[in-house]
Amino acid sequence: MDTDVIIGQGVVYFEQAWGFAKGWLLSPAAWTQFGLLVVAYVAALFVTRKILPTVQKFLTPAEDQDTYLAKARRFVLMFAPLVLPLLAYALTGIGESVTRSVFGSGEVIAFGKRVFMFLAARILVREIITDPLMKVLGRYLLVPIAGLYALGFLDEVMLKLDETVVPLGNLSFSLLFLIRFVLVGGAIFWLGRWSNEQSSSFIKNQSEMRPAMRELTAKTAEIAIFGVAFLLLMNIMGISLTSLAVLTGAIGVGLGFGLQKIASNFISGIILLLEGQATVGDYVELDGGEAGTIVKMTARAAILETYDGKWIVVPNEDFITTRVVNYSDSGSANRYEAPFSVSYGTDINLVPDIVEAAVAENPDVLKDPFPPDCELRGFGDSGVDFAVEFWVNGIDDGRHKYTSDVLFRIWNALKDNGIEIPYPHRVVELRDTRKNPDT
């Protein structure tokens, strides 16, 4: 009996479905919508193939161009894959308005229009978005939302999400609000990060500004951009800042007790940028033994790169509270010395002129503030000890081995003038300590 009921119910559903399909197949409105849908896609495909190559050629700058106009053209060019689905969507929308005005219905063509929008969202996520965070948001939020929109279930799902409320202390919000917040917030902060990269690149290219001032201006612009992005997000989502008083109070307590070092490093970084005593490009050495070239200064720390390629993260506070030796200081000269010896048979009065002339031939050795200066240092066990002092712009390490080249020049100059460089001598005295057998 139950089986007969099930079969009967199935026959009823089949007859209803067949009646609907038959009515659709014989409906002029349905076929008209389907035809307009095909015509809209073919027209969009034709226009895209005819116009898009010309537009792409116009928007493509030369490879060596790096101006802001060239960057803007490359940015617009990224969205070229969206032309076909969006154009088909627009043309289908026109067709939908025609069918609704003539036949009073447009479900078929409306479904096709929504499918074109889904394809556009899919292309955007797969081919255009490169940022990892935005790609994740697009894959797991934007594409599913576009799929629900194409199937016509978006309104029901949004209503259900809006009814699902999540309490959070004195605050409460719906799942729909949370999804909107994540999508809008991700888009706004991605735009903020892109704007920050462009502004930072522009500021750092201003060579007439001091390096420290460039860093300070870039950090100020970064704080301003993300501050505006945060306020814009709050305004778009309709969140009153006063409603976050409890949350911000808790964050303030956490900053006061748990994040003292971060706050201290942040203030120290601002002081460093204002004073300009250590900035990007300087070679510094700290009391703790850390030494390297500053390659980046963040809100929390400075990044030092050693000559063996390692990166050292030094908190900004260490630059304020400890002794720091800055060997660069915006390109100031540094003095080094190269010790050597000559044999005792040498006329030592000739040595200074020979060595100073040889060292001065090095193109990196400066004449100002002082030219090379060869000094007598003492009389050693094996020879007469000298040292030549010389000044250079830079650090005697890494790519610039100044002392090595200077010693090569000293060796060659002394050899050319017949002056011997001694090797260690030791005199060994043998004594016969045996007693005389006759006494």
Side-chain angles (χ1 to χ4, degrees), residues 178-207:
L178 179 61
I179 294 174
R180 286 177 174 172
F181 185 84
V182 172
L183 284 176
V184 175
I188 288 178
F189 279 95
W190 174 81
L191 183 61
R193 187 169 67 176
W194 180 82
S195 302
N196 178 60
E197 291 174 356
Q198 301 305 313
S199 63
S200 178
S201 175
F202 174 77
I203 293 170
K204 291 181 179 179
N205 288 333
Q206 306 305 309
S207 56

PDB file of all heavy atoms in Angstrom, residues 178-207:
ATOM      1  N   LEU A 178      28.386  40.172   9.643  1.00  0.00           N
ATOM      2  CA  LEU A 178      29.773  39.729   9.735  1.00  0.00           C
ATOM      3  C   LEU A 178      30.363  39.481   8.350  1.00  0.00           C
ATOM      4  O   LEU A 178      31.508  39.879   8.067  1.00  0.00           O
ATOM      5  CB  LEU A 178      29.848  38.452  10.579  1.00  0.00           C
ATOM      6  CG  LEU A 178      31.234  37.835  10.751  1.00  0.00           C
ATOM      7  CD1 LEU A 178      32.166  38.809  11.455  1.00  0.00           C
ATOM      8  CD2 LEU A 178      31.147  36.528  11.528  1.00  0.00           C
ATOM      9  N   ILE A 179      29.603  38.824   7.473  1.00  0.00           N
ATOM     10  CA  ILE A 179      30.102  38.557   6.123  1.00  0.00           C
ATOM     11  C   ILE A 179      30.324  39.865   5.361  1.00  0.00           C
ATOM     12  O   ILE A 179      31.344  40.053   4.684  1.00  0.00           O
ATOM     13  CB  ILE A 179      29.117  37.644   5.369  1.00  0.00           C
ATOM     14  CG1 ILE A 179      29.082  36.259   6.028  1.00  0.00           C
ATOM     15  CG2 ILE A 179      29.503  37.523   3.904  1.00  0.00           C
ATOM     16  CD1 ILE A 179      28.041  35.336   5.446  1.00  0.00           C
ATOM     17  N   ARG A 180      29.362  40.787   5.487  1.00  0.00           N
ATOM     18  CA  ARG A 180      29.542  42.092   4.836  1.00  0.00           C
ATOM     19  C   ARG A 180      30.756  42.825   5.381  1.00  0.00           C
ATOM     20  O   ARG A 180      31.516  43.446   4.628  1.00  0.00           O
ATOM     21  CB  ARG A 180      28.287  42.937   5.046  1.00  0.00           C
ATOM     22  CG  ARG A 180      27.091  42.526   4.203  1.00  0.00           C
ATOM     23  CD  ARG A 180      25.886  43.386   4.545  1.00  0.00           C
ATOM     24  NE  ARG A 180      24.750  43.121   3.661  1.00  0.00           N
ATOM     25  CZ  ARG A 180      23.548  43.627   3.852  1.00  0.00           C
ATOM     26  NH1 ARG A 180      23.319  44.441   4.883  1.00  0.00           N
ATOM     27  NH2 ARG A 180      22.568  43.346   3.010  1.00  0.00           N
ATOM     28  N   PHE A 181      30.946  42.734   6.685  1.00  0.00           N
ATOM     29  CA  PHE A 181      32.089  43.415   7.308  1.00  0.00           C
ATOM     30  C   PHE A 181      33.405  42.859   6.777  1.00  0.00           C
ATOM     31  O   PHE A 181      34.337  43.617   6.478  1.00  0.00           O
ATOM     32  CB  PHE A 181      32.013  43.236   8.820  1.00  0.00           C
ATOM     33  CG  PHE A 181      33.075  43.985   9.589  1.00  0.00           C
ATOM     34  CD1 PHE A 181      32.896  45.310   9.918  1.00  0.00           C
ATOM     35  CD2 PHE A 181      34.249  43.356   9.955  1.00  0.00           C
ATOM     36  CE1 PHE A 181      33.874  46.011  10.611  1.00  0.00           C
ATOM     37  CE2 PHE A 181      35.233  44.039  10.643  1.00  0.00           C
ATOM     38  CZ  PHE A 181      35.044  45.372  10.970  1.00  0.00           C
ATOM     39  N   VAL A 182      33.484  41.530   6.659  1.00  0.00           N
ATOM     40  CA  VAL A 182      34.721  40.913   6.165  1.00  0.00           C
ATOM     41  C   VAL A 182      34.977  41.307   4.716  1.00  0.00           C
ATOM     42  O   VAL A 182      36.110  41.669   4.344  1.00  0.00           O
ATOM     43  CB  VAL A 182      34.637  39.384   6.313  1.00  0.00           C
ATOM     44  CG1 VAL A 182      35.827  38.719   5.622  1.00  0.00           C
ATOM     45  CG2 VAL A 182      34.614  38.994   7.784  1.00  0.00           C
ATOM     46  N   LEU A 183      33.945  41.257   3.872  1.00  0.00           N
ATOM     47  CA  LEU A 183      34.124  41.590   2.460  1.00  0.00           C
ATOM     48  C   LEU A 183      34.476  43.066   2.271  1.00  0.00           C
ATOM     49  O   LEU A 183      35.448  43.403   1.588  1.00  0.00           O
ATOM     50  CB  LEU A 183      32.851  41.260   1.682  1.00  0.00           C
ATOM     51  CG  LEU A 183      32.595  39.778   1.387  1.00  0.00           C
ATOM     52  CD1 LEU A 183      31.250  39.598   0.703  1.00  0.00           C
ATOM     53  CD2 LEU A 183      33.703  39.212   0.509  1.00  0.00           C
ATOM     54  N   VAL A 184      33.694  43.943   2.878  1.00  0.00           N
ATOM     55  CA  VAL A 184      33.945  45.378   2.722  1.00  0.00           C
ATOM     56  C   VAL A 184      35.279  45.763   3.365  1.00  0.00           C
ATOM     57  O   VAL A 184      36.069  46.525   2.795  1.00  0.00           O
ATOM     58  CB  VAL A 184      32.788  46.198   3.325  1.00  0.00           C
ATOM     59  CG1 VAL A 184      33.095  47.691   3.276  1.00  0.00           C
ATOM     60  CG2 VAL A 184      31.490  45.905   2.583  1.00  0.00           C
ATOM     61  N   GLY A 185      35.558  45.217   4.564  1.00  0.00           N
ATOM     62  CA  GLY A 185      36.814  45.522   5.235  1.00  0.00           C
ATOM     63  C   GLY A 185      38.016  45.036   4.444  1.00  0.00           C
ATOM     64  O   GLY A 185      39.025  45.740   4.321  1.00  0.00           O
ATOM     65  N   GLY A 186      37.921  43.816   3.893  1.00  0.00           N
ATOM     66  CA  GLY A 186      39.030  43.312   3.081  1.00  0.00           C
ATOM     67  C   GLY A 186      39.283  44.182   1.864  1.00  0.00           C
ATOM     68  O   GLY A 186      40.440  44.485   1.529  1.00  0.00           O
ATOM     69  N   ALA A 187      38.191  44.601   1.186  1.00  0.00           N
ATOM     70  CA  ALA A 187      38.360  45.441   0.002  1.00  0.00           C
ATOM     71  C   ALA A 187      38.946  46.807   0.356  1.00  0.00           C
ATOM     72  O   ALA A 187      39.851  47.310  -0.326  1.00  0.00           O
ATOM     73  CB  ALA A 187      37.005  45.609  -0.698  1.00  0.00           C
ATOM     74  N   ILE A 188      38.460  47.407   1.439  1.00  0.00           N
ATOM     75  CA  ILE A 188      38.944  48.741   1.825  1.00  0.00           C
ATOM     76  C   ILE A 188      40.405  48.689   2.247  1.00  0.00           C
ATOM     77  O   ILE A 188      41.218  49.531   1.831  1.00  0.00           O
ATOM     78  CB  ILE A 188      38.057  49.317   2.947  1.00  0.00           C
ATOM     79  CG1 ILE A 188      36.687  49.707   2.397  1.00  0.00           C
ATOM     80  CG2 ILE A 188      38.721  50.538   3.579  1.00  0.00           C
ATOM     81  CD1 ILE A 188      35.732  50.232   3.437  1.00  0.00           C
ATOM     82  N   PHE A 189      40.777  47.697   3.038  1.00  0.00           N
ATOM     83  CA  PHE A 189      42.167  47.651   3.497  1.00  0.00           C
ATOM     84  C   PHE A 189      43.114  47.177   2.397  1.00  0.00           C
ATOM     85  O   PHE A 189      44.296  47.522   2.421  1.00  0.00           O
ATOM     86  CB  PHE A 189      42.272  46.769   4.737  1.00  0.00           C
ATOM     87  CG  PHE A 189      41.864  47.483   5.996  1.00  0.00           C
ATOM     88  CD1 PHE A 189      40.577  47.391   6.493  1.00  0.00           C
ATOM     89  CD2 PHE A 189      42.767  48.287   6.662  1.00  0.00           C
ATOM     90  CE1 PHE A 189      40.196  48.063   7.632  1.00  0.00           C
ATOM     91  CE2 PHE A 189      42.401  48.978   7.810  1.00  0.00           C
ATOM     92  CZ  PHE A 189      41.114  48.867   8.295  1.00  0.00           C
ATOM     93  N   TRP A 190      42.610  46.402   1.450  1.00  0.00           N
ATOM     94  CA  TRP A 190      43.449  46.097   0.285  1.00  0.00           C
ATOM     95  C   TRP A 190      43.721  47.370  -0.512  1.00  0.00           C
ATOM     96  O   TRP A 190      44.849  47.618  -0.948  1.00  0.00           O
ATOM     97  CB  TRP A 190      42.754  45.076  -0.609  1.00  0.00           C
ATOM     98  CG  TRP A 190      43.488  44.835  -1.890  1.00  0.00           C
ATOM     99  CD1 TRP A 190      44.581  44.033  -2.101  1.00  0.00           C
ATOM    100  CD2 TRP A 190      43.208  45.450  -3.159  1.00  0.00           C
ATOM    101  NE1 TRP A 190      44.976  44.109  -3.415  1.00  0.00           N
ATOM    102  CE2 TRP A 190      44.164  44.962  -4.087  1.00  0.00           C
ATOM    103  CE3 TRP A 190      42.231  46.346  -3.593  1.00  0.00           C
ATOM    104  CZ2 TRP A 190      44.153  45.356  -5.422  1.00  0.00           C
ATOM    105  CZ3 TRP A 190      42.238  46.740  -4.918  1.00  0.00           C
ATOM    106  CH2 TRP A 190      43.188  46.239  -5.821  1.00  0.00           C
ATOM    107  N   LEU A 191      42.669  48.175  -0.701  1.00  0.00           N
ATOM    108  CA  LEU A 191      42.856  49.452  -1.386  1.00  0.00           C
ATOM    109  C   LEU A 191      43.779  50.366  -0.585  1.00  0.00           C
ATOM    110  O   LEU A 191      44.610  51.079  -1.148  1.00  0.00           O
ATOM    111  CB  LEU A 191      41.499  50.120  -1.597  1.00  0.00           C
ATOM    112  CG  LEU A 191      41.502  51.448  -2.360  1.00  0.00           C
ATOM    113  CD1 LEU A 191      42.046  51.245  -3.764  1.00  0.00           C
ATOM    114  CD2 LEU A 191      40.095  52.037  -2.418  1.00  0.00           C
ATOM    115  N   GLY A 192      43.654  50.319   0.754  1.00  0.00           N
ATOM    116  CA  GLY A 192      44.548  51.116   1.586  1.00  0.00           C
ATOM    117  C   GLY A 192      45.986  50.676   1.467  1.00  0.00           C
ATOM    118  O   GLY A 192      46.899  51.512   1.395  1.00  0.00           O
ATOM    119  N   ARG A 193      46.213  49.368   1.428  1.00  0.00           N
ATOM    120  CA  ARG A 193      47.582  48.888   1.285  1.00  0.00           C
ATOM    121  C   ARG A 193      48.159  49.253  -0.073  1.00  0.00           C
ATOM    122  O   ARG A 193      49.329  49.640  -0.184  1.00  0.00           O
ATOM    123  CB  ARG A 193      47.628  47.369   1.479  1.00  0.00           C
ATOM    124  CG  ARG A 193      49.044  46.818   1.524  1.00  0.00           C
ATOM    125  CD  ARG A 193      49.083  45.388   1.966  1.00  0.00           C
ATOM    126  NE  ARG A 193      48.481  44.498   0.997  1.00  0.00           N
ATOM    127  CZ  ARG A 193      48.471  43.174   1.121  1.00  0.00           C
ATOM    128  NH1 ARG A 193      48.995  42.607   2.186  1.00  0.00           N
ATOM    129  NH2 ARG A 193      47.911  42.422   0.207  1.00  0.00           N
ATOM    130  N   TRP A 194      47.341  49.145  -1.130  1.00  0.00           N
ATOM    131  CA  TRP A 194      47.812  49.547  -2.461  1.00  0.00           C
ATOM    132  C   TRP A 194      48.135  51.041  -2.479  1.00  0.00           C
ATOM    133  O   TRP A 194      49.160  51.457  -3.033  1.00  0.00           O
ATOM    134  CB  TRP A 194      46.738  49.217  -3.499  1.00  0.00           C
ATOM    135  CG  TRP A 194      47.130  49.595  -4.893  1.00  0.00           C
ATOM    136  CD1 TRP A 194      47.913  48.892  -5.753  1.00  0.00           C
ATOM    137  CD2 TRP A 194      46.760  50.804  -5.582  1.00  0.00           C
ATOM    138  NE1 TRP A 194      48.054  49.572  -6.940  1.00  0.00           N
ATOM    139  CE2 TRP A 194      47.364  50.751  -6.868  1.00  0.00           C
ATOM    140  CE3 TRP A 194      45.986  51.901  -5.250  1.00  0.00           C
ATOM    141  CZ2 TRP A 194      47.195  51.761  -7.795  1.00  0.00           C
ATOM    142  CZ3 TRP A 194      45.839  52.910  -6.185  1.00  0.00           C
ATOM    143  CH2 TRP A 194      46.433  52.834  -7.445  1.00  0.00           C
ATOM    144  N   SER A 195      47.265  51.850  -1.870  1.00  0.00           N
ATOM    145  CA  SER A 195      47.524  53.296  -1.807  1.00  0.00           C
ATOM    146  C   SER A 195      48.789  53.587  -1.013  1.00  0.00           C
ATOM    147  O   SER A 195      49.580  54.473  -1.374  1.00  0.00           O
ATOM    148  CB  SER A 195      46.330  54.015  -1.172  1.00  0.00           C
ATOM    149  OG  SER A 195      45.142  53.773  -1.885  1.00  0.00           O
ATOM    150  N   ASN A 196      49.004  52.827   0.064  1.00  0.00           N
ATOM    151  CA  ASN A 196      50.207  53.029   0.865  1.00  0.00           C
ATOM    152  C   ASN A 196      51.463  52.687   0.072  1.00  0.00           C
ATOM    153  O   ASN A 196      52.486  53.375   0.173  1.00  0.00           O
ATOM    154  CB  ASN A 196      50.124  52.171   2.127  1.00  0.00           C
ATOM    155  CG  ASN A 196      51.364  52.288   2.982  1.00  0.00           C
ATOM    156  OD1 ASN A 196      51.718  53.360   3.451  1.00  0.00           O
ATOM    157  ND2 ASN A 196      52.051  51.172   3.185  1.00  0.00           N
ATOM    158  N   GLU A 197      51.421  51.619  -0.714  1.00  0.00           N
ATOM    159  CA  GLU A 197      52.582  51.260  -1.536  1.00  0.00           C
ATOM    160  C   GLU A 197      52.887  52.345  -2.552  1.00  0.00           C
ATOM    161  O   GLU A 197      54.069  52.682  -2.778  1.00  0.00           O
ATOM    162  CB  GLU A 197      52.324  49.924  -2.240  1.00  0.00           C
ATOM    163  CG  GLU A 197      52.299  48.715  -1.303  1.00  0.00           C
ATOM    164  CD  GLU A 197      51.897  47.450  -2.023  1.00  0.00           C
ATOM    165  OE1 GLU A 197      51.568  47.534  -3.237  1.00  0.00           O
ATOM    166  OE2 GLU A 197      51.918  46.377  -1.402  1.00  0.00           O
ATOM    167  N   GLN A 198      51.844  52.904  -3.173  1.00  0.00           N
ATOM    168  CA  GLN A 198      52.076  53.954  -4.164  1.00  0.00           C
ATOM    169  C   GLN A 198      52.626  55.222  -3.515  1.00  0.00           C
ATOM    170  O   GLN A 198      53.567  55.843  -4.029  1.00  0.00           O
ATOM    171  CB  GLN A 198      50.765  54.264  -4.904  1.00  0.00           C
ATOM    172  CG  GLN A 198      50.161  53.079  -5.629  1.00  0.00           C
ATOM    173  CD  GLN A 198      51.121  52.434  -6.597  1.00  0.00           C
ATOM    174  OE1 GLN A 198      51.778  53.105  -7.383  1.00  0.00           O
ATOM    175  NE2 GLN A 198      51.223  51.117  -6.539  1.00  0.00           N
ATOM    176  N   SER A 199      52.044  55.612  -2.385  1.00  0.00           N
ATOM    177  CA  SER A 199      52.520  56.831  -1.710  1.00  0.00           C
ATOM    178  C   SER A 199      53.933  56.636  -1.179  1.00  0.00           C
ATOM    179  O   SER A 199      54.770  57.548  -1.257  1.00  0.00           O
ATOM    180  CB  SER A 199      51.562  57.210  -0.577  1.00  0.00           C
ATOM    181  OG  SER A 199      51.530  56.195   0.412  1.00  0.00           O
ATOM    182  N   SER A 200      54.221  55.448  -0.636  1.00  0.00           N
ATOM    183  CA  SER A 200      55.563  55.184  -0.118  1.00  0.00           C
ATOM    184  C   SER A 200      56.594  55.222  -1.242  1.00  0.00           C
ATOM    185  O   SER A 200      57.687  55.778  -1.079  1.00  0.00           O
ATOM    186  CB  SER A 200      55.588  53.827   0.586  1.00  0.00           C
ATOM    187  OG  SER A 200      56.877  53.526   1.050  1.00  0.00           O
ATOM    188  N   SER A 201      56.250  54.645  -2.392  1.00  0.00           N
ATOM    189  CA  SER A 201      57.167  54.685  -3.536  1.00  0.00           C
ATOM    190  C   SER A 201      57.403  56.121  -4.007  1.00  0.00           C
ATOM    191  O   SER A 201      58.532  56.504  -4.327  1.00  0.00           O
ATOM    192  CB  SER A 201      56.598  53.834  -4.669  1.00  0.00           C
ATOM    193  OG  SER A 201      57.397  53.931  -5.821  1.00  0.00           O
ATOM    194  N   PHE A 202      56.352  56.922  -4.021  1.00  0.00           N
ATOM    195  CA  PHE A 202      56.486  58.323  -4.448  1.00  0.00           C
ATOM    196  C   PHE A 202      57.370  59.103  -3.479  1.00  0.00           C
ATOM    197  O   PHE A 202      58.254  59.860  -3.900  1.00  0.00           O
ATOM    198  CB  PHE A 202      55.104  58.961  -4.544  1.00  0.00           C
ATOM    199  CG  PHE A 202      55.132  60.437  -4.824  1.00  0.00           C
ATOM    200  CD1 PHE A 202      55.383  60.912  -6.103  1.00  0.00           C
ATOM    201  CD2 PHE A 202      54.923  61.358  -3.793  1.00  0.00           C
ATOM    202  CE1 PHE A 202      55.420  62.271  -6.364  1.00  0.00           C
ATOM    203  CE2 PHE A 202      54.954  62.713  -4.052  1.00  0.00           C
ATOM    204  CZ  PHE A 202      55.210  63.181  -5.340  1.00  0.00           C
ATOM    205  N   ILE A 203      57.144  58.912  -2.178  1.00  0.00           N
ATOM    206  CA  ILE A 203      57.911  59.660  -1.180  1.00  0.00           C
ATOM    207  C   ILE A 203      59.380  59.258  -1.204  1.00  0.00           C
ATOM    208  O   ILE A 203      60.276  60.111  -1.136  1.00  0.00           O
ATOM    209  CB  ILE A 203      57.300  59.438   0.222  1.00  0.00           C
ATOM    210  CG1 ILE A 203      55.911  60.088   0.300  1.00  0.00           C
ATOM    211  CG2 ILE A 203      58.197  60.018   1.311  1.00  0.00           C
ATOM    212  CD1 ILE A 203      55.132  59.724   1.544  1.00  0.00           C
ATOM    213  N   LYS A 204      59.661  57.973  -1.320  1.00  0.00           N
ATOM    214  CA  LYS A 204      61.054  57.513  -1.288  1.00  0.00           C
ATOM    215  C   LYS A 204      61.818  57.880  -2.548  1.00  0.00           C
ATOM    216  O   LYS A 204      63.048  57.785  -2.572  1.00  0.00           O
ATOM    217  CB  LYS A 204      61.094  56.009  -1.058  1.00  0.00           C
ATOM    218  CG  LYS A 204      60.632  55.634   0.352  1.00  0.00           C
ATOM    219  CD  LYS A 204      60.697  54.146   0.603  1.00  0.00           C
ATOM    220  CE  LYS A 204      60.254  53.837   2.041  1.00  0.00           C
ATOM    221  NZ  LYS A 204      60.286  52.384   2.343  1.00  0.00           N
ATOM    222  N   ASN A 205      61.124  58.291  -3.599  1.00  0.00           N
ATOM    223  CA  ASN A 205      61.802  58.750  -4.811  1.00  0.00           C
ATOM    224  C   ASN A 205      62.143  60.235  -4.769  1.00  0.00           C
ATOM    225  O   ASN A 205      62.757  60.744  -5.714  1.00  0.00           O
ATOM    226  CB  ASN A 205      60.927  58.469  -6.038  1.00  0.00           C
ATOM    227  CG  ASN A 205      60.868  56.993  -6.382  1.00  0.00           C
ATOM    228  OD1 ASN A 205      61.793  56.249  -6.079  1.00  0.00           O
ATOM    229  ND2 ASN A 205      59.799  56.568  -7.023  1.00  0.00           N
ATOM    230  N   GLN A 206      61.741  60.914  -3.704  1.00  0.00           N
ATOM    231  CA  GLN A 206      62.058  62.345  -3.566  1.00  0.00           C
ATOM    232  C   GLN A 206      63.476  62.485  -3.009  1.00  0.00           C
ATOM    233  O   GLN A 206      63.689  62.538  -1.811  1.00  0.00           O
ATOM    234  CB  GLN A 206      61.043  63.037  -2.654  1.00  0.00           C
ATOM    235  CG  GLN A 206      59.591  62.831  -3.071  1.00  0.00           C
ATOM    236  CD  GLN A 206      59.335  63.259  -4.499  1.00  0.00           C
ATOM    237  OE1 GLN A 206      59.688  64.368  -4.905  1.00  0.00           O
ATOM    238  NE2 GLN A 206      58.722  62.367  -5.271  1.00  0.00           N
ATOM    239  N   SER A 207      64.454  62.514  -3.893  1.00  0.00           N
ATOM    240  CA  SER A 207      65.858  62.503  -3.481  1.00  0.00           C
ATOM    241  C   SER A 207      66.272  63.781  -2.756  1.00  0.00           C
ATOM    242  O   SER A 207      67.281  63.777  -2.039  1.00  0.00           O
ATOM    243  CB  SER A 207      66.753  62.295  -4.707  1.00  0.00           C
ATOM    244  OG  SER A 207      66.502  63.295  -5.686  1.00  0.00           O
TER     245      SER A 207
END
